[in-house]
Structures are given as structure tokens and as C-alpha cells.
Amino acid sequence: MAAYLQWRRFVFFDRETVREPSGPDGAGAKPFALPPGIAVCDSGRGSLVFGDILCGAGRCQIWFLPRSLQLSSFQAYKLRVTHLYQLKQHSILVSIGEDEEGINPLVKVWNLEKRDGGNPLCTRIFPAIPGNKPTVVSCLTVHENLNFMAIGFADGSVVLTKGDITRDRHSKTQILHEGSYPVTGLAFRQSGKTTHLFVVTTENIQSYMLSVKDYPHLELDTHGCGLRCSSLSDPSQDLQFIVAGNECVYLYQPDERGPCFAFEGQKLIVHWYRGYLIIVSKDRKTSPKSEFAGNEAQSSDKQVLNIYDLCNKFIAYSSIFDDIVDVLAEWGSLYVLTRDGKIHVLQEKDTQTKLEACKFMLFRKNLFEMAINLAKSHHLDSDGLSEIFRQYGDHLYNKGNHDGAIQQYIRTIGKLEPSYVIRKFLDAQRIHNLTAYLQMLHLQSLANADHTTLLLNCYTKLKDSSKLEEFIKTSESEVHFDVETAIKVLRQAGYYSHAVYLAEKHEHHEWYLKIQLEDIKNYQEALHYIGKLPFEQAESNMKRYGKILMHHVPNETTELLKILCTDYRPSGGNEGPGMLEGKKANSEEFIPVFANNSRELKAFLEHMTEVQADSPQGVYDTLLELRLQNWAHEQDEQIKEKLHNEALTLLKSGRFKTVFDKALVLCQMHNFKDGVLYLYEQGKLFQQIMHYHMQNEQYKKVIEVCELYGDQEACLWEQALSYFARKEENCKEYIAAVLKHIENKNLMPPLLVVQTLAHNSTATLSVIKDYLVNKLQKQSHQIEQDEQRIQKYREETTRIRLEIEELKASPKIFQKTKCSICTSALELPSVHFLCGHSFHQHCFESYSESDSECPTCMPENRKVMDMIRAQEQKRDLHDQFQHQLKCSNDGFSVVADYFGRGVFNKLTLITDLPSGKTATTIEAGLQRELLIHTKRST
């Protein structure tokens, strides 16, 4: 129970008297006067509605007063209007009045939007009688959905009309409540789909549930109130039913009684308006009235109108009026009707004005809580509230109440600059207050990196590990700090486990690995963590930290690198939608990781070459170098032989064709003889092979090289002969072998052989005796063959010359009897050629390609002509001649061949003789015939 005497009083309303509009002359307007005889009133739909009793004109009117103060009326009853109810959401007015003397009240429902002869349309009329016994109507209420209407009577009964209240046909009327005490108040309460009706009498209060069949009811209290002393609050007070007794004001829910307020005095009128409770009570200085007929006060009575703010517990306005008829709410203001016909308007001040008016007083008296509640109830903006919180916090801080001050400063977050608060609490004794403020700053996502650093430092100085863990282990949706900054601070303070947790949770992989490797030294865990990362991040971190991991956990690091470079998938089920197919890194890029770890490097490289044949060339190069190093430094013969075979097998794998020089240098650096020779052989460097054996004085190997590759490079035998010729040792056996091959292949002139061997003091004439004898015999034999061939060519030339002379001087007799083509007997016409062939004319025409050439001799003649043309074309091929001369074993035969082709003679070739033949042309023709005949004879 709250005693209102302790409540603060404010003047949040301005009071004025409603005046008539000023005239054209601008003279002061006089107060507006209501018609006499006003008995009831209500408001809604933009008008104040009044009902009067029988007036001098003999008609009972219902009056409408709009905001323009232009009164209008219509006759509703003949005698009096006793009750009015204007719906707020519909243009429907419900009235109760009397048309004749006696107890015979009528209910009329008016549609204000429709007209009947200039008056509102009356849609329904029915008597307000509970059963058959007439009684006085005490109160009226209508539900805004137009489906319920309740009428209370002085005999204690309540009549409920359910259905469309505007029509008789669609509604049903029944007695809902019967009792012994007059009904003084009714109110509908709608909550969702549930409808309740509060019924209050002079002695009790009951609640009916209308949304359930049989309308169950519950008695809420055993005391009531007078007429017009009950009302229904708005949602700000949870739609509670307000009942004002002389001692207290009670609030009720449909199923229980709520709070009560000790507002003393005889209550005359109760209303609810915009979160305010309006009570009109009798001034204590006047005599009391009867409890039930509280509205029948004498005109001399003074009445007090109080406006209460129940939430904030203060009186927003209080004033004395003369005999109030009622208080109406319309157009955003309160209108107080007095018995003298005047209307007083109470205009609520704007929020800023109210706050400014009360703030000074509240702040001066340190009533900050009331100021805050007042500001909230009037929906003051956040900036205004923040300023009140700041002043309240400053007040508490100056009093030494740091805990209370920090709570107020927390309420300023988002408006007040955090540094204002932080500076006040930097003292070590107030660090826990600063921690609370910084925590809230982070929760509201308004902290920067400096605030995060400061908060974590506060935790570490307080050694509050639980709070620290709670802070860093918040869910991702609640993270309100810079994670990287937090990791740095925790690492600096030595909270490595917390820093690692934070880095892992928020996927700051670099920080996680840096702390694990540099601070905690947990290399195994760091390696396991890398194995769970996506491919790109695992690859980059292995390049960065691979050397450290290889130094401390070489085997595990090597295994991870094998996976990373072949078919990598993150461990621990972290595969994303794009990780169904494994990825692989470039294995060559990880070779530097194995510095000073040759054993692991060899295992890694061998694994890569086995499972991935297309590994980068650098992998094979490094593996070759590693195997050669191991071979060169190995002392055990068996192991050395094994390493030798491995290196040679790798060389023979065919992976060094593009890096031949590099592989050769590696083999030479490590004196890997077989590898060097193999590479020489693959590179067709036969002379280098022979020189290698010459340097090592391996005479048999020199001969073997010449035998193997002498056919591809003939100069090897000449070099071998020169090599053995320079040796002072007894190399007769090897010189003989070389000379035998030179003789068989005719690789060197004998004179050159003699000159070469002349430098060797151990090589006597007996060494080359057989060679010279055989060579001289072959040359003698060759001379004999050449002389015979010359003699043959001379005889053939003489014979051809005789034939030519014979053709020139003697006639040619054709004695052929058969055709040279069909071999049939010759018949005229026939064709004869000087060569001796004869043909039928039709055979000649069928097979001959030219009229001037013999079809039988033409193929051979064309071969000769082609040879002549080829010789003519090759006469200027100087480069080809030089090349053949250089590459041939017998240069003299090449020169002789070119002499034979006439390359060094100027030859004029005439194939067709004109009609006028001169001696020169005839000689040329004879030469051609000679050539043709000579070719055919050979």
C-alpha cells in the first residue's frame, strides 16, 4: 500500500477555461457556457456529448460539441437522458432515457454517420428492464466490438446483451447478475480472445468470463464503491479494473486483486487517461455526501481533482473546482465540466517542459530514481536519459558509493564517452568497478581494442581466472571484443592456455601456432593443429614453421608433408563442400624444410617419386644429389654398392633429360664414374667417354668405346690412334687393333697414319708393316681396276664415235620386220628410228608420248637427261660440296664425283634442234646421243 501523502507533487498540466471564439472586432471572448440542465456526458469520435433533462422547451436533447465549439443537438427523449456511452472506435452512441413519467427507461442505439430527417439514425430501441420488475438504471457499458452491452440497475441486477447491439434480430438479452446491492460500475476487459466483465456494487466486486459458456464468475472483493468511482486502466497497467473507495484505491485482475493505494477522501469520480489515474474527491473542508449518490453535491461544495502517476508514484496535477459534473478526455486534453456550465481544459505539458520543470527540484533533492522513472514513463530519448544517469553516477561517485556509481555509468554506455568513466576508476582500489564497466561495454559491442586490452589487464591483475575464462569463452554470437588484441594481451600476461583457446576458437591460426611453438613448446599439438586446417592455410603454415617442427618432431612432420604433397584432406572432419577431392602442394617448395635432416629428406623424396611420378624436377635433382652424397661418404662396401645402384637407377629413370648438365655436374662433383659415363652416353658425348677412359689410362675401355660408337663418330679411331701414339708405353697391341679397324673402314690415308705414329718412340716399323703392305696391295688392286675401266671407256667411246660418223656419212637401212611394241609383222604405214626400232603407225601413236622420241628408248634417255639436269642444278651447290668433302672418309672420291658431274666444267645442254642446223648445233646433238648411248651400253 502506498500513501499518497509521501508522493511528490508536480504541475504537469496547464489549466484554462474554454472560451467562445473571438468576434470580428477582436474583443475578448467570454467563457463558453453549456446549455442548462446537463445531466450526463461522454466523449469520443471528435466530440463531447451531453444529455440534458426536460428543459423549458419541453424537449429532451442530446448535444454534440465539436472542437469548433459549434453546438448541435437533436431530441432523443421526451423527458430526460440518464446515461450516454459513446464508442471510441465506432460512430455509435448508446443512450438511456425516459419518454414518460414513472420507471420506464428505454435504450436507444444511434448511428451517427447515418441520418433520419436530419437527426442521427436510431437503429434500435428496447426497454431497459431486468425481467418484469421496473427499476432504475444505474450504469451502462458497451464493448468496442459491438457484440456486448451491459446495463446495471439499482436493484443489483445486470442485464447482458450479446450479439449485434445495433439490431434486435441478431442479439440476445439476458440477466447476467442478480444481487441485493445497487450496481455502481461495469467494465469490459478484452485480453486476446478472452472477454471479462467486471461488476462492482456498493458491497462487492465480481468478474464474469463471457467467452465461456454459462459465464462463470468470481468474487474479487467484499467491498465496493459509489457511482462513477470505477474505471478500467490501459495496457500500461495491464488493463486492471480500478475501484476507488473512501480509504483506498484498489486494482483488480480478472482472477485476483492487485495493488492498492491509500488515497483518502470521499471519491466522487474516477477516470483513466493516458497512464494517469484521475480522481475527483470532496474537499476535506466540506461536509460529506451520501455514499451512493456522490454526484448530488451542493453547488457550494468544493471538489479536488487529482491526477496520479501510479507507476512513478507522484501527483502530476492537483486543483480545486466548484461542483464538477464530469471529466472528459478528447482531442488530447482533459475537459472538466462544472455545474455552472463552464468547461475547463487541462492541457498536458510536453515531455521536455515537464522534465525541465521537475528536474531541478529532483536533482537538488537527489531524487534521481524518480527523475529516471519519470523520464522513462514519458519516453524521454536516450540522450536525455543518459544525461540523468551520468549526473546520478557523478552524485554517487562523489559520495563514495563507487559500486552504485558504476551501475549508473553502465547505463550511459553508447551515449557517454567511455574515457569519462575509465579515468575515474583507474585507481587500483577501484579496478573491480572498472572491470564491470568494461565488461558491459564489450557486451554491447562498443569496445575498441584499447578497451579490450584494459579489461584483460584488469582480469590478470585481479587474478580472476574464472571471469577471464567466462569472458573469452562466450559464444560466437556474443563476442564483442577484438580477438587479436585479446590474444596479444593474454600472451603478454602469460595466460598461454587462454590465448591458445581464443586463437583456436576464432581460427586465428597464426597466433595459435606462434604461441604453441614459441611459448608453450608443444610441437606435437601444433603439428596436429596444422593437420586440421584447410589446405591453403596448412600449406602456408608448414612453409613458415616447418623447420622448427622438423627439428623437434621430424618423423611426424615428414609424414604430414607426405600427405600434404600427395592427397591432403583436413583431419577431424573439417572438410568443406569443396574438399571431397584431395589437394596437393608442390613438394619442391618444402625441400628447404629438411635442412640438416637428410634422413627424413630422403624418405620424403623417395615417397614422392614412388607415389607421384610427375613430381617436380627439383625433387629428382635433390634426391640424386642426396643419394650421391650418401654414396660418396659411405664406408661400408655393401651399403655403398646398394647406394651406387640406387643412384644409377635414378639416373636411368629418364627424369634428367631436361637437366642433363645439372645431373652431369652432380655426378662429376661426387666422382660418380658410372653416372658420368651413362650421362655421356645418353648425351651422345662419345668423345668425352673416350677422353674419360684416356684420363684414367684404361686402354681396353678406349678400344671398347671406339668399337661401340665408332660407327656413329668415325673420328674416335683417329683420336684413339693419336692417344696411343703419344704413349711412351708399349701399346703395340692396341695400336694394331686401331690400325686394323682404320684399314677396314678406310678412315685415314696411310701417310697420315705414318705421320701420327712417328711421334711414338716405341712404335717401330713392324707395328705398321702389315698395315702398309695391305694398304699398298689394295691400292695396287684398285689401280688395276681403274685402268681396266679406263680402257673399257676408251674403247666404248671409239666405237660410239664410229657409229656417229657412220650416221653422218652413210645411209641407214631399216631391216626390222616386226613391230617393237606388238612384235607383229610390220605393215605399212610404219615408223622407223635411227636407234633401230620400228613400229606400226597405230602402235606408235598409241604408246608414244612424243613424236620425236622412240617409245622403247625413251625411259633410258630420260634417265640420262635427268642426270644431266641434276648435274646442272648441283653445279652451284658449294655448301653441299664442302659438307660432303668434310664428312667423307675419302675426300678424293668426292672431288672426282663432282668432276664427273661436270661441276667444274661449263656445259651447254640443247635438247631440241631448230630447223636450221649449224655445225655447232649438230656437234651438240652428237654429244647428247653419245651420252645416251653410253648410258644404255653400261
Side-chain angles (χ1 to χ4, degrees), residues 94 103 107 122 124 130 244 259 303 445 666 724 752 824 851 878 902:
V94 179
I103 303 175
V107 179
C122 182
R124 183 179 182 185
Q303 298 171 355
S445 302
L666 289 173
F724 289 122
L752 183 58
S824 299
D851 294 340
H878 175 74

Side-chain angles (χ1 to χ4, degrees), residues 70 73 97 99 110 120 154 211 241 260 371 419 451 454 460 480 492 601 650 708 798 811 822 850 915:
Q70 301 296 324
S73 65
D99 285 337
W110 308 88
S211 53
F241 187 56
C260 64
S419 59
H451 298 148
L454 186 57
T460 56
H480 306 289
Q492 185 177 5
L601 176 59
L650 182 61
L708 288 174
T798 302
C822 66
S850 174
S915 57

